[in-house]
Amino acid sequence: MSKTILLLGGTAEAIATYNELQTLHPDWRIIYSLAGRTQSPETVDGEVNIGGFGGIQGLVQYLDDNKIDKLIDVTHPFATNMSQNAKDACQICNVIYEVVLRLQWIQQAGDNWIDVDTITEATEKLPQNAKPFLALGRQYLSAFDHRTDCDFIVRMVDAPSEKLSLAHYQIILGKPSNQAQDELALFKHHNITHLVSRNSGGDRSYAKIQAASMGQIPVIMIKQPKPTT
Ligand code: NAP
């Protein structure tokens, strides 16, 4: 029987899930949904929703209007607002909620990680006058504003429309490399003393963690929030 699926994406795993579902069920209507954060996101060849739904109530309406049978949540492990809204809206509408979880990275021999629970804790772990590399989403950067002693290197996919509120920083535009050697060369070029990263898991952005290990650069690693299940 044909079904209508809402697939919450924004990750490489979400695209893989979409392609797999489409191959297995060519008659299903699968709507791939993105937050619309980046200018040229990786997407799928099919029906795409771009932009938020307007909180739980907006999503309830969307599920109802589109007669969604199942919502599959393949968002990033740190996209907790979307996941919680999705779970709650599905409960209200009696729609099946399925979540694809991503395992955290595990510290390996040679890694030097300082595990923290929150972004605030991460800001406190940087020593005076550090030169940290922030591999974080834009929404996390202002937490470091008070560290006026640090000289930050910030990697972003798109250039910000306004100046960042950090006191001292340089932006590197582009996506992370999947080659540890490239990431290490970048860290060395900028004399990076610390890497600040979320424990996102997955293969896509692991090269920077390997590079930090190779370059004996300490990683301030923000633990993954509890998954929405
Ligand atoms: P978030 O804080 O959980 O989401 C904030 C709001 O953005 C949601 O309440 C929702 O708006 C909208 N939204 C998020 N994901 C959406 C989706 N797939 N489709 C439609 N609307 C969506 O999430 P975030 O950390 O800002 O991440 C945004 C998106 O980027 C996620 O889809 C995630 O998979 C992707 N992504 C995030 C990261 C990361 O580092 N967090 C990394 C890679 C990719 P409404 O309340 O208006 O519905």
Side-chain angles (χ1 to χ4, degrees), residues 102-114:
R102 208 197 262 178
L103 293 178
Q104 300 205 55
W105 296 315
I106 307 283
Q107 195 166 179
Q108 306 293 320
D111 286 348
N112 178 6
W113 290 8
I114 302 157

Side-chain angles (χ1 to χ4, degrees), residues 8-11 33-35 37 51-55 75-76 78-82 85 139 198:
L8 300 179
T11 59
S33 181
L34 287 166
R37 292 270 191 281
F53 303 96
T75 56
H76 189 272
F78 280 75
T80 49
N81 297 311
M82 184 70 257
N85 286 356
Q139 66 270 43
R198 291 159 302 168

Side-chain angles (χ1 to χ4, degrees), residues 122-144:
T123 71
E124 291 159 1
K125 292 290 182 195
L126 289 170
Q128 278 287 310
N129 303 316
K131 192 161 187 199
F133 188 99
L134 300 185
L136 301 168
R138 192 166 304 185
Q139 66 270 43
Y140 300 94
L141 301 178
S142 60
F144 294 86

Side-chain angles (χ1 to χ4, degrees), residues 137-204:
R138 192 166 304 185
Q139 66 270 43
Y140 300 94
L141 301 178
S142 60
F144 294 86
D145 285 358
H146 65 289
R147 293 305 308 265
T148 54
D149 57 303
C150 293
D151 189 8
F152 294 98
I153 300 292
V154 184
R155 177 158 55 198
M156 294 179 136
V157 177
D158 299 315
S161 50
E162 292 174 4
K163 208 175 161 299
L164 302 182
S165 48
L166 296 167
H168 308 288
Y169 69 92
Q170 186 185 331
I171 293 175
I172 295 174
L173 280 183
K175 291 185 179 165
S177 168
N178 58 6
Q179 299 297 316
Q181 286 296 350
D182 295 344
E183 296 288 75
L184 180 59
L186 186 68
F187 295 164
K188 282 191 171 162
H189 178 73
H190 291 282
N191 297 316
I192 295 302
T193 61
H194 294 76
L195 168 65
V196 185
S197 173
R198 291 159 302 168
N199 193 333
S200 304
D203 299 335
R204 258 301 168 89

